[in-house]
């Protein structure tokens, strides 16, 4: 219903605009001059519509401009000073790109990937594609209306978003032919009469696509406001100024050589925090406290019926496989190691693996408490299909959990029926790949055929098959895992994004397949020790960084999160359709980022997952509940974490982070440590007795901090899954206290 409202509003707005006889002013230069790369602009608006856009020079009657170099954050500061009183105005810095073509990779973090040049359809939320789009191998990547550069040659092509739509305030573009990339970093916006007004990011292409301009405007005025789905009438407006008023825009331009899009994204990851004001994430809640609360929440989801009992992943008494927690929220409960939770997990495996399977070996998406299939989302119309990602999650997490049971010395608890059922799933993935060379977005549960092609929705199956090859001693699984991993990586390298992980969107770029493919490719590295996969996983981690908030966005003071003093650095955006940040990755711990740091020594990976861990704690409510909203975007739940609600997958990923990532990682040979937990490392000393850490707990909660220590030789060996079983060094730190602990 929400989507219908926004789309109707958007269409009515366009009709009113057409009836008014007004036409939008363009941002491209009036006359081409390749020698001029940067234009300073005076902008006049009629409500949200640009009506004039003139260059500011020495003769301008509107503004004078002073330029200075920013020695701290880098770049150039353009200080516009009003020469006279004006109403509904603004200014902008435009970067003109000549010798342009539509093959350029354009990325604005979390909102635009490869220019969003996708096929657009108008579908209701979480309804899947139209019936006519199924079983079409030639189907183009399809999304609901989103900001995009037009895929149609000669058509108007313009993107308008603002900084609230992005995870990092930057416009980036990459020339594949010349192997050159550019990043235009800026600030959140301008201070104006006691509030921050976000910059807008506007990209416009000429009709023949021979040139484009990248605009950073202040205040940001979009003609249409991107919504959760589609667009609505824009609330953005110009400002009224008096003579002498000043507006400042800072642009830090980074030009670089890059062999391909993955290399370009790696450079972005290195730069993304250097050009905004840094603010250390808040230490709010130790990982041990997060674990205790999330475990309590997951236990509250345990359903006991007349016939079966099992852990429910959602706010309903059903088993929803994979994706948001089905047969995944059992992992942290199994990791606790006690008999009570083991029994509950076993009941869950009995129910989940004993129901919901089709003739092919794949599972349907949802099974009710009566054991019967429930058709929802895309399966409401096409009953025999299931989201590929859900089955991929089941394969990966079930093998991982059976491996965990063996590592805990509880292999006798593994039912032969579980092993057989999971093997059938691995066989199904293997058979489909052999026949079709892909797993697509949706699969037919009965015959194993791909129902919706393209996307990287099966990313997690790569890691699942790699683990299954070890568990079942089946080299064929590894062969398919390698083929699929390379195919998916090549697709990502070509277009610069991954997609197909979410059942509630179409085929938009999303963060969920990004972290899934990163994890899977690294699993290939750990199971084969082929260094190629280590490099590929690092590139994919850089893609994950584009989805993760890199700076402390300033919310309006009257919003709930602003009143809490929240720092949203580390929140993870969902997709280019569902425009909101969330506490953590769906549904992963992100331990692959820790593993990448351990394997490479690159602290960028450690900092990324440290931010995500701390961002998750910002989402925990006083009652211990958590939802999937932790956002500043003006398209959805701006400044809110939806207190009073609860979301299962955020409980699961919070527990996973607390288990699969150490609170502190220590390299004993270097006498160095990296802190992921919500504690402070005040001092580290090496002596004959060992490594002594002085640790401070600044939070309101007692902490039990897990320490993983090793030397350089040990760090060269792949860590593998379930490594936390061996992290036995734990230190208790009372709230607001300081303690010392020695690692021998």
């Amino acid at each position: 219903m929400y989507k219908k409202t926004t789309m109707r509003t958007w269409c009515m707005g366009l009709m009113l605009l057409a009836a008014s006889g007004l036409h939008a002013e363009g941002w491209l230069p009036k006359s081409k001059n390749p020698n001029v790369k940067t234009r300073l602009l005076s902008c006049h608006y009629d409500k949200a519509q640009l009506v004039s856009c003139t260059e500011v020079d020495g003769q301008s009657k509107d503004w004078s401009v002073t330029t200075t170099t920013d020695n701290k954050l880098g770049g150039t500061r353009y200080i516009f000073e009003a020469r006279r009183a004006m109403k509904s105005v603004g200014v902008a810095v435009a970067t003109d790109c000549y010798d342009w073509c539509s093959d350029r990779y354009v990325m604005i973090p979390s909102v635009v990937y490869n220019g969003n040049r996708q096929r657009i359809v108008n579908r209701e939320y979480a309804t899947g594609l139209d019936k006519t789009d199924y079983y079409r191998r030639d189907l183009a990547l399809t999304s609901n209306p989103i900001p995009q550069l037009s895929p149609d040659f000669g058509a108007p092509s313009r993107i308008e978003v603002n900084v609230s739509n992005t995870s990092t305030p930057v416009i980036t573009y990459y020339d594949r032919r010349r192997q050159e990339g550019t990043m235009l970093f800026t600030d959140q916006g301008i201070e104006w009469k006691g509030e921050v007004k976000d910059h807008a990011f506007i990209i416009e292409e000429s009709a023949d696509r021979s040139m484009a301009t990248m605009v950073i405007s202040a205040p940001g005025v979009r003609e249409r406001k991107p919504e959760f789905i589609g667009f609505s009438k824009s609330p953005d407006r110009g400002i009224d100024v008096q003579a002498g008023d000043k507006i400042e825009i800072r642009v830090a331009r980074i030009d670089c050589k890059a062999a391909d899009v993955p290399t370009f994204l790696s450079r972005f990851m290195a730069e993304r925090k250097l050009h905004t004001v840094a603010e250390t994430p808040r230490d709010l809640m130790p990982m041990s406290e997060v674990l205790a609360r999330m475990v309590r929440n997951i236990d509250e989801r345990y359903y006991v019926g007349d016939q079966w009992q099992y852990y429910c992943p959602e706010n309903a008494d059903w088993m929803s496989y994979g994706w948001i927690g089905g047969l995944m929220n059992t992992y942290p409960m199994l990791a606790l190691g006690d008999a009570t939770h083991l029994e509950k997990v076993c009941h869950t495996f009995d129910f989940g693996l004993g129901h919901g399977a089709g003739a092919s070996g794949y599972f349907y998406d949802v099974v009710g408490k009566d054991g019967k299939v429930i058709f929802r989302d895309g399966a409401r119309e096409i009953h025999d299909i299931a989201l590929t990602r859900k089955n991929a999650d089941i394969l990966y997490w079930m093998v991982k959990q059976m491996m965990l049971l063996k590592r805990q010395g509880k292999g006798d608890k593994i039912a032969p029926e579980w092993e057989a059922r999971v093997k059938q799933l691995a066989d199904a993935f293997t058979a489909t790949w052999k026949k079709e060379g892909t797993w697509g977005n949706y699969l037919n549960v009965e015959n194993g055929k791909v129902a919706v092609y393209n996307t990287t929705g099966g990313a997690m199956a790569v890691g699942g098959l790699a683990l299954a090859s070890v568990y079942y001693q089946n080299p064929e699984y590894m062969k398919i895992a390698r083929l699929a991993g390379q195919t998916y990586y090549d697709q990502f390298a070509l277009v610069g994004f991954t997609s197909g992980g979410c059942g509630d969107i179409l085929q938009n770029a999303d963060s969920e397949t990004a972290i899934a493919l990163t994890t899977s490719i690294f699993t290939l590295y750990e199971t084969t020790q082929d260094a190629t996969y280590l490099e590929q996983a690092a590139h994919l981690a850089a893609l994950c960084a584009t989805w993760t908030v890199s700076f402390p966005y300033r919310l309006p003071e009257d919003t709930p999160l602003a009143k809490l003093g929240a720092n949203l650095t580390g929140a993870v955006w969902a997709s280019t359709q569902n425009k909101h940040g969330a506490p953590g990755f769906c549904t992963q711990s992100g331990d692959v980022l820790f593993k990448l740091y351990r394997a490479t020594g690159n602290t960028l990976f450690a900092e990324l997952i440290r931010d995500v861990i701390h961002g998750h704690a910002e989402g925990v409510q006083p009652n211990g509940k958590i939802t999937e909203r932790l956002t500043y975007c003006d398209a959805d739940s701006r400044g809110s974490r939806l207190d009073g609600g609860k979301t299962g997958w955020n409980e699961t990923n919070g527990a996973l982070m607390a288990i699969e990532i150490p609170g502190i990682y220590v390299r004993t040979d270097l006498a160095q440590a990296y802190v992921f937990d919500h504690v402070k490392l005040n001092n580290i000393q090496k002596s004959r007795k060992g490594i002594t850490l002085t640790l401070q707990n600044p939070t309101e909660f007692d902490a039990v901090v897990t320490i993983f220590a090793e030397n350089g030789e040990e760090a060269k060996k792949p860590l593998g899954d379930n490594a936390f079983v061996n992290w036995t060094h734990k230190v208790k730190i009372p709230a607001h206290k300081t303690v010392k602990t020695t690692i021998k």
Side-chain angles (χ1 to χ4, degrees):
M1 185 53 130
Y2 176 75
K3 188 243 181 184
K4 282 185 177 179
T5 303
T6 57
M7 289 302 298
R8 188 179 298 116
T9 303
W10 173 44
C11 292
M12 290 178 62
L14 291 180
M15 288 188 289
L16 290 171
L17 183 62
S20 70
L22 296 174
H23 297 283
E25 172 76 349
W27 294 92
L28 294 165
K30 302 298 186 292
S31 59
K32 293 184 178 181
N33 185 349
N35 295 320
V36 176
K37 303 298 184 184
T38 302
R39 291 177 294 125
L40 308 181
L41 304 176
S42 173
C43 310
H44 291 256
Y45 300 95
D46 178 5
K47 296 182 180 177
Q49 185 180 21
L50 179 69
V51 294
S52 71
C53 176
T54 58
E55 292 191 38
V56 176
D57 54 26
Q59 307 302 316
S60 173
K61 64 180 180 180
D62 294 339
W63 305 89
S64 62
V65 182
T66 302
T67 61
T68 63
T69 300
D70 188 319
N71 294 320
K72 184 177 182 181
L73 298 177
T76 301
R77 293 189 178 275
Y78 300 94
I79 303 169
F80 295 77
E81 183 173 345
R83 294 183 184 272
R84 61 190 180 97
M86 295 175 282
K87 291 185 176 295
S88 193
V89 298
V91 297
V93 177
T95 300
D96 295 328
C97 305
Y98 293 89
D99 193 24
W100 184 262
C101 74
S102 56
D103 187 48
R104 296 274 181 103
Y105 175 73
V106 176
M107 190 273 290
I108 302 176
S110 77
V111 66
V112 177
Y113 290 85
N114 205 28
N116 285 354
R117 299 183 196 270
Q118 294 180 232
R119 171 187 179 236
I120 299 297
V121 297
N122 183 10
R123 299 286 292 167
E124 296 294 331
Y125 175 72
T127 57
L129 293 164
D130 183 80
K131 288 183 178 180
T132 59
D133 289 333
Y134 288 88
Y135 302 102
R136 285 182 52 194
R137 186 179 283 271
D138 64 341
L139 182 70
L141 285 177
T142 301
S143 75
N144 269 306
I146 53 175
Q148 71 167 178
L149 295 175
S150 177
D152 300 321
F153 183 79
S157 185
R158 183 193 296 179
I159 285 173
E160 294 182 327
V161 298
N162 71 14
V163 173
S164 85
N165 302 130
T166 72
S167 58
T168 296
V170 65
I171 300 173
T172 76
Y173 50 97
Y174 173 74
D175 186 332
R176 292 178 170 91
R177 179 171 59 87
R178 295 181 175 176
Q179 297 185 332
E180 296 174 346
T182 297
M183 306 174 208
L184 303 173
F185 287 91
T186 189
D187 304 303
Q188 178 182 337
I190 60 171
E191 294 264 4
W192 190 258
K193 296 184 178 179
E195 65 174 323
V196 177
K197 289 187 173 292
D198 286 2
H199 289 317
F201 292 156
I202 300 151
I203 305 172
E204 185 169 350
E205 296 179 313
S206 62
D208 64 1
R209 308 296 187 255
S210 65
M211 78 165 300
T213 189
M214 316 287 164
V215 179
I216 300 172
S217 66
V221 180
R222 303 158 296 179
E223 289 194 8
R224 299 183 299 166
K225 176 188 172 187
E227 292 289 359
F228 189 77
I229 295 178
F231 300 85
S232 68
K233 187 176 180 180
S234 175
D236 302 338
R237 297 293 185 268
I239 56 177
D240 299 340
V241 300
Q242 301 296 320
D245 284 345
K246 295 180 180 179
I247 301 177
E248 182 178 303
I249 299 177
R250 181 179 62 90
V251 181
R253 176 172 179 149
I254 306 296
D255 294 308
C256 63
K257 298 291 291 185
D260 49 25
V261 170
T263 307
F264 178 62
L265 293 179
S266 294
R267 179 63 185 271
F268 160 80
M269 185 178 183
E271 297 283 351
R272 72 188 187 107
K273 282 193 169 188
L274 301 180
H275 309 283
T276 54
V277 176
E279 188 174 302
T280 304
R282 301 194 300 172
D283 290 320
L284 292 176
M285 185 176 292
M287 294 163 74
S288 57
E289 180 68 19
V290 171
L291 178 61
R293 294 183 180 212
M294 299 305 110
V295 163
R296 186 163 58 246
N297 293 336
I298 295 171
D299 266 332
E300 289 177 3
R301 295 181 182 279
Y302 192 71
Y303 167 78
V304 179
D306 295 334
Q307 293 178 278
W308 301 290
Q309 48 186 292
Y310 51 89
Y311 280 110
C312 304
E314 296 185 84
N315 300 332
D317 292 336
W318 60 36
M319 170 60 65
S320 179
Y321 292 96
W323 186 16
I324 40 66
L327 299 182
M328 301 163 72
N329 60 358
T330 46
Y331 183 86
M333 315 310 276
L334 198 59
L336 295 174
D338 64 278
T340 299
H341 285 104
L342 173 60
E343 182 181 11
K344 289 182 176 181
V345 169
C346 289
H347 285 313
T348 304
F349 289 171
D350 287 339
F351 176 76
L353 296 175
H355 298 85
S360 68
Y362 292 119
F363 287 87
Y364 284 94
D365 288 348
V366 183
V367 170
K369 60 186 178 181
D370 58 0
K372 296 180 180 179
V373 173
I374 295 174
F375 299 106
R376 66 172 195 176
D377 299 342
R380 272 181 273 186
E381 293 188 70
I382 312 294
H383 281 186
D384 284 346
I385 66 168
L387 189 67
T388 304
R389 182 260 182 90
K390 282 177 165 282
N391 279 278
D393 282 342
I394 298 170
L395 178 62
Y396 174 82
W397 285 97
M398 279 307 308
V399 176
K400 187 169 174 173
Q401 288 174 101
M402 291 189 295
M403 286 179 162
L404 174 58
L405 282 168
K406 289 189 174 183
R407 192 157 184 171
Q408 290 174 325
K410 301 172 183 176
D412 60 323
K413 297 296 184 181
I414 300 173
E417 294 83 3
W418 304 347
E419 290 185 315
R421 191 62 202 85
V422 174
K423 186 177 185 302
Q424 288 173 358
L425 181 57
D427 290 340
F429 273 109
T430 300
T432 299
W433 191 273
K434 283 183 174 181
K435 291 178 181 178
E436 307 216 36
T438 185
W439 293 314
N441 199 167
Y442 283 83
L443 292 159
N444 186 303
V445 181
E446 296 305 323
N447 60 29
K449 293 182 179 179
V450 174
V452 177
Y453 285 87
N454 301 316
T455 83
T456 36
M460 208 66 251
V462 174
L465 283 176
L467 293 183
S469 73
V470 176
Y471 189 88
Y472 293 103
Q473 294 295 296
N474 187 332
E476 187 175 37
Y477 294 160
M478 180 60 75
K479 178 182 177 181
I480 300 300
R482 280 178 172 266
L483 286 171
Q486 192 60 54
T487 299
Y488 281 154
Y489 180 82
D490 290 345
Q491 290 173 351
F492 148 69
L494 179 65
V495 300
F497 65 91
T498 59
S499 63
C502 313
D504 59 335
I505 69 174
L506 298 183
Q507 296 174 309
N508 301 63
D510 68 73
S511 64
E512 302 177 24
T513 47
I515 190 64
L517 189 54
T518 309
T519 302
S520 277
I521 294 296
F522 197 87
T523 301
L524 282 176
Y525 166 67
E526 290 190 313
T527 51
T528 67
Q529 298 192 43
D530 184 339
T532 301
Y533 296 125
L534 179 61
E535 181 181 17
Q536 291 180 350
H539 287 157
L540 285 158
L543 176 64
C544 295
T546 70
W547 290 103
T548 308
V549 178
S550 63
F551 72 112
Y553 184 96
R554 281 183 56 190
L555 279 158
E557 293 181 358
D558 61 347
T559 57
L561 286 171
K563 292 177 180 178
L564 291 171
N567 180 351
L568 302 190
T569 302
V572 180
W573 289 65
S575 67
T576 56
Q577 174 185 288
N578 297 356
K579 305 170 183 68
H580 68 85
F585 294 108
C586 182
T587 303
Q588 297 264 344
S589 67
D591 66 325
V592 63
L593 300 172
F594 163 67
K595 290 179 177 181
L596 277 165
Y597 161 62
R598 174 180 177 268
T600 65
N602 187 341
T603 56
L604 290 175
F605 302 122
E607 184 176 330
L608 180 57
I609 189 58
R610 186 275 314 268
D611 287 354
V612 174
I613 290 169
H614 283 69
H616 184 275
E618 293 278 3
V620 181
Q621 304 166 26
N623 64 0
K625 307 300 181 184
I626 190 169
T627 75
E628 62 183 351
R629 292 299 190 271
L630 188 67
T631 188
Y632 52 75
C633 182
D634 68 356
D636 181 25
S637 308
R638 179 170 168 84
S640 171
R641 61 184 183 187
L642 301 185
D643 279 9
K646 59 181 181 178
T647 305
W649 72 262
N650 297 107
E651 300 162 0
T652 301
N653 73 353
L656 290 175
M657 283 187 273
I659 289 170
E660 293 196 289
I661 301 166
I664 301 173
Y665 174 67
V666 179
R667 275 287 297 272
T668 55
D669 54 321
L670 301 175
Q672 293 178 354
Y674 198 98
V675 178
F676 297 96
D677 210 335
H678 295 246
V679 296
K680 304 291 186 186
L681 174 63
N682 290 342
N683 190 38
I684 181 169
Q685 283 187 319
K686 187 174 184 179
S687 66
R688 292 180 179 179
K689 294 181 179 180
I691 303 290
T692 300
L693 309 178
T694 304
L695 301 172
Q696 177 190 358
N697 178 2
T699 76
E700 302 291 328
F701 309 94
D702 294 344
V704 179
V705 180
T706 299
I707 299 176
F708 172 31
E710 62 179 353
N711 61 34
E713 286 302 310
E714 293 167 324
K716 292 178 182 179
K717 301 173 184 177
L719 189 60
D721 288 288
N722 306 313
F724 68 88
V725 172
N726 294 330
W727 299 344
T728 57
H729 190 111
K730 299 179 185 293
V731 57
K732 295 181 180 180
I733 315 175
H736 301 298
K737 299 295 184 181
T738 300
V739 302
K740 289 185 178 182
T741 186
T742 299
I743 302 162
K744 295 182 180 180

